[in-house]
């Protein structure tokens, strides 16, 4: 797992100082089962050696531990837009546009 010596707030502030203030932070949410299935499907054509079940499980743990605190920070700030990524891509796109008020 990724361990940071900075607080989530510090990471967000440094990002916003160096890049720009985030109007929104967009999060596409899906279950680990869905993500695993999608990555294993990608493995059939990608040729990536790391698209295997054991590596995917490790990546998902790292991803969650690294991103959850950041998402919570932006949620508390009222700047997090969460979109379910469990549906068809057309539905995800429509929900993204609605979430961003486009």
């Amino acid at each position: 797992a990724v361990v940071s010596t900075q607080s989530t707030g510090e990471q967000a502030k440094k990002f916003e100082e160096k890049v720009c203030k985030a109007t929104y932070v967009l999060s596409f949410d899906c279950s680990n089962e869905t993500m695993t299935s999608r990555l294993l499907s990608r493995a059939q054509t990608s040729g990536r050696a790391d698209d295997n079940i054991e590596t995917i499980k490790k990546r998902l743990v790292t991803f969650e531990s690294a991103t959850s605190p950041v998402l919570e920070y932006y949620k508390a700030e009222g700047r997090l837009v969460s979109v379910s990524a469990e549906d068809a891509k057309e539905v995800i796109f429509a929900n993204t546009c609605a979430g961003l008020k486009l």
Side-chain angles (χ1 to χ4, degrees), residues 28-75:
F28 291 104
D29 304 324
C30 67
S31 68
N32 285 350
E33 292 79 20
T34 297
M35 186 58 67
T36 299
S37 173
R38 289 176 180 171
L39 290 170
L40 289 173
S41 179
R42 177 182 78 175
Q44 296 173 0
T45 59
S46 73
R48 289 181 57 156
D50 62 343
D51 277 347
N52 62 68
I53 194 73
E54 292 306 316
T55 303
I56 290 168
K57 285 180 183 179
K58 290 176 186 176
R59 276 194 256 155
L60 290 171
V61 168
T62 300
F63 176 77
E64 188 170 323
S65 67
T67 60
S68 291
V70 175
L71 296 177
E72 287 300 318
Y73 172 81
Y74 283 108
K75 183 178 181 180

Side-chain angles (χ1 to χ4, degrees), residues 24 26 80-83 92-102:
Y24 299 104
L26 182 59
L80 178 65
V81 175
S82 294
V83 176
I92 296 168
F93 178 76
N95 291 339
T96 301
C97 291
L100 295 174
K101 299 175 177 90
L102 299 177

